[in-house]
Amino acid sequence: MSGLHELERLLSKAGACSRVEARERIRAGRVRVDGRCVRDPARPFRADARVELDGRPLEPAGKRYVVLHRPRGYITTRRDERGRPTVYELLGELREFVAPVGRLDADTSGLLLFTNDTLFAARICDPDAHVPKTYRVEARPRLADEALARLRAGLELADGPARPARVEKLGDRGPVTRFLITIEEGRNRQVRRMVQEVGSRVEKLARVSIGTLELGTLPSGRWRELEPRELRALRARG
């Protein structure tokens, strides 16, 4: 199987669609390989096979690297069976299919990175690469300095120990503590669970940076291409 790829993967890597959408289109008879209709999404072909989708040749996609300021409530999937809004509604004018690099839960806003460069995405998400992710947190009730120290030291979660985090307190406002927390992992709802473990609850959570890439002043719901210098810095860090 060396040098061979599943047909659905060929479509996805070319930026034509997601793998889920590729399976649907293949099964519907919309894809031809070397002049023959193929309906098996898992059938392997060489990367240089002549693939046509809806009668048009499949052309390799250029690499795209996009940062989105995701609002709360947008689901990080292509489609949602419950009809909730998805991040792809905010990326509607992009021609190539890009996939999210990691995820944010529905109640978390902020920086979400997209690309069709699978190797780059794997490096950013690899826990062994230690790419830091920074979040702005508002937690209630107020966290004492001892609780913040526990976050810095690392603590035990249900799915194993969390690595020590960098924590910068921004201040207290009534019963709420505001702080920045930087972690080098990406487990499900990790920041929320860490805050709960030290006796508080996250009220607002926003990711503000991944590695050297910062959200900055990008308005909520808007996206932009990464600048070459940003991409170079991320590659060096990842």
Side-chain angles (χ1 to χ4, degrees):
M1 293 287 287
S2 178
L4 300 180
H5 303 280
E6 294 177 346
L7 182 55
E8 65 181 61
R9 186 182 175 203
L10 287 180
L11 266 68
S12 178
K13 289 190 68 174
C17 53
S18 70
R19 293 188 70 163
V20 171
E21 291 170 326
R23 287 195 289 272
E24 295 174 351
R25 296 177 186 187
I26 294 165
R27 288 170 178 152
R30 297 169 58 184
V31 177
R32 301 178 72 87
V33 182
D34 295 330
R36 301 182 63 181
C37 180
V38 178
R39 294 179 181 267
D40 180 4
R43 185 170 174 180
F45 291 95
R46 295 187 61 84
D48 58 359
R50 191 176 78 256
V51 181
E52 295 174 290
L53 174 61
D54 295 330
R56 297 182 179 180
L58 198 65
E59 298 180 357
K63 299 301 184 185
R64 300 292 297 269
Y65 308 88
V66 168
V67 58
L68 169 72
H69 185 165
R70 199 201 80 164
R72 292 175 62 182
Y74 279 75
I75 308 302
T76 313
T77 57
R78 185 71 167 176
R79 289 178 293 182
D80 181 65
E81 67 279 0
R82 293 163 56 185
R84 294 171 294 181
T86 80
V87 291
Y88 286 94
E89 296 174 24
L90 304 173
L91 299 174
E93 60 265 47
L94 270 179
R95 183 180 67 84
E96 296 90 352
F97 173 75
V98 289
V101 181
R103 292 178 179 270
L104 293 174
D105 66 64
D107 293 326
T108 302
S109 63
L111 190 159
L112 192 56
L113 183 60
F114 291 80
T115 186
N116 54 5
D117 185 339
T118 55
L119 293 178
F120 170 79
R123 285 197 300 271
I124 296 298
C125 292
D126 185 356
D128 293 333
H130 300 284
V131 177
K133 289 89 174 174
T134 300
Y135 298 80
R136 185 174 58 249
V137 185
E138 294 186 11
R140 180 194 298 255
R142 182 185 298 185
L143 286 169
D145 290 343
E146 292 80 3
L148 297 178
R150 288 183 61 196
L151 295 175
R152 295 187 182 102
L155 40 78
E156 190 72 28
L157 298 177
D159 56 352
R163 295 173 182 168
R166 295 199 298 273
V167 177
E168 177 187 349
K169 186 174 180 179
L170 300 176
D172 295 321
R173 182 182 298 167
V176 174
T177 295
R178 299 165 58 245
F179 61 97
L180 296 175
I181 184 169
T182 302
I183 60 175
E184 294 181 350
E185 304 169 271
R187 287 186 274 171
N188 184 44
R189 301 177 70 85
Q190 181 174 339
V191 172
R192 295 180 185 277
R193 292 189 290 130
M194 291 173 69
V195 171
Q196 185 175 7
E197 185 66 26
V198 297
S200 188
R201 180 175 61 85
V202 169
E203 286 203 334
K204 290 185 179 180
L205 184 63
R207 185 159 63 195
V208 296
S209 69
I210 296 177
T212 54
L213 179 64
E214 297 184 352
L215 183 62
T217 59
L218 184 66
S220 179
R222 302 293 294 275
W223 64 272
R224 65 171 177 83
E225 302 274 0
L226 265 64
E227 298 177 9
R229 62 175 178 81
E230 293 175 317
L231 184 56
R232 287 194 298 269
L234 270 180
R235 288 187 185 280
R237 187 62 178 84

